Amino acid sequence: MHWDGFTTMERDVRAVVGDPRWTLLPPVTRAHTLAQRALVTPDGARWLFGAHARWYRLDRVDGRWHLSAPPAHPAVRAAARPSPPGVAIPPVLIPTGPDFAYDRGSTQGFVGPDVPHEITERLRALLLAHRGLRREDFPLDGSVYQQVFARDVASTVAAVWGTIMWCAYAPAFDGNEVMLSMFGEFLARPLPGDDWVRWLPMGSLDALVGLYAERMRSGAGEAGLRLAGLMAETATVLRADPRFRPRADALIAMAEPLLGSPWLDQHAMPSGAVRQAWLARCPPHLVPATLPEWAPGEHFRHTLYDLVEALGYTAARGMDPRAVAASLLAADVAGVCGVSEPAWAAPGSSYTAQVVTALYPWMDDELRQALYLALAEPAHPLRGCWPAGGELPPGLIPPDRETAAALLGSAYATGLAWCALTGTPAPSEGFAVCSAVVKCLIHQRDDPRPQEAADRRRPDLDESGSWLFETSNSDISSLPPL
């Protein structure tokens, strides 16, 4: 039987951590157990399958373990061998047990595979039931959603929208997505994007919780609890789609307890720590879904890991998915920040250098080097991975629709993550890599045929406003986190 060290050790660690006795072992025993299952590859790199059921690579430069997707090439995986004794395992890398139970859902984007009709119809019903409530009872004043929605829109509509945006793994949606179209009559401005895709910013838990907290602090407790219940109900609908499920489950766990215990957040109201109170209610096995809220660096690491996995198909074509991912990251950084040649690499010499310097601590030495080379040397082979003429190079074109959708979702999530980590505004027209991937999907879209669209159309919500899809960058440049 063919030996694959990474598959073998991952299976072994999962079995050990899945044993009920794992949590009863003293920390030193658990660390020793993991150390016995570390791997070393022919290049001398050491690997460990640890916390969050993911792989880590020991950085030979800084001596730290970095979250890092494992090599995909069969020859490298087959040559991996158990690491010699003496590997120190930091406590943060030791699985707790619940972290291995986390359901990561799907990294696919919402272009190509549209949101299923059953979900959009249930969301439509929620909007119909809550759109007509009095603005006086559910105001948007003081909320970031005041810039997104028209003046006469109640915060119940914003609660449904905000839940969708927060639960989405990567909020890049097909331009004709029914779920977005049903909000057309409520929006105050066009959504960012182009003819094919709405490139939306990552959802904000602060903004979402703020709708509820404002009502509670104003003495309108019943309205506040209704908003929290609506968020939980919307998340319950969304979780049927694996692209929403992880964060939907986390939001349900944070909001739903209020319906039975409305006093839960009273202690946090005076200090404005309601968001922290919600995050504290998130159970251990769902905490990874909230990483963007409290650990942007770790969130970037995980999205980059997803991107490497989405590029796994390139290994069969003789490429290294890890190096390709670093090159595509470089292409997006250069596209957003520009490249100042030849002195960009000197710390502080350009905005690009500042961004890259901020990303370096969250990458292992191999990925850092690939990122540096792709940015600093125009003639380097890694530049061959960059989109040209708005299209992916032939060697990177995904083999099928599902792979292309996963690449789109992970690339967009990675783009939003590094922008959030470095304080860089995300481009309203999308990242270069994502835009190129879309071209692999636009001829395989899920839009219903004309007759199906006519059959499904409902007169209760206006979805015909073409202004929704008429993008004006001047209108949306200040669109806040949703």
Side-chain angles (χ1 to χ4, degrees), residues 59-198:
D59 192 318
R60 285 171 287 188
V61 175
D62 63 18
R64 295 165 53 208
W65 289 91
H66 288 268
L67 183 74
S68 195
H73 198 284
V76 177
R77 296 174 70 91
R81 292 292 181 266
S83 178
V87 179
I89 309 299
V92 70
L93 262 63
I94 300 175
T96 60
D99 58 330
F100 266 46
Y102 178 57
D103 175 10
R104 295 194 175 275
S106 170
T107 63
Q108 287 192 347
F110 299 90
V111 180
D114 286 343
V115 178
H117 176 67
E118 296 74 17
I119 293 178
T120 58
E121 286 305 295
R122 292 178 65 187
L123 291 174
R124 185 195 305 276
L126 285 177
L127 271 183
L128 287 173
H130 295 86
R131 62 174 292 179
L133 299 181
R134 295 194 332 143
R135 172 67 187 266
E136 293 76 10
D137 297 329
F138 296 93
L140 281 176
D141 300 335
S143 165
V144 297
Y145 295 114
Q146 192 175 9
Q147 304 174 47
V148 179
F149 294 101
R151 293 182 179 180
D152 59 345
V153 174
S155 60
T156 46
V157 173
V160 176
W161 171 269
T163 299
I164 292 170
M165 293 303 125
W166 192 81
C167 293
Y169 169 76
F173 291 89
D174 189 318
N176 291 329
E177 171 58 60
V178 174
M179 187 176 66
L180 297 189
S181 299
M182 68 177 69
F183 285 93
E185 64 181 283
F186 305 113
L187 297 175
R189 64 181 78 189
L191 296 176
D194 51 36
D195 290 341
W196 303 109
V197 184
R198 305 292 139 229

Side-chain angles (χ1 to χ4, degrees), residues 385-441:
C385 297
W386 288 21
E391 296 186 357
L392 290 176
L396 289 189
I397 294 177
D400 52 54
R401 172 181 170 182
E402 288 72 22
T403 304
L407 177 58
L408 172 63
S410 57
Y412 191 58
T414 301
L416 293 181
W418 72 255
C419 283
L421 177 60
T422 61
T424 304
S428 59
E429 68 279 5
F431 297 93
V433 171
C434 298
S435 297
V437 176
V438 166
K439 292 191 176 181
C440 302
L441 287 164

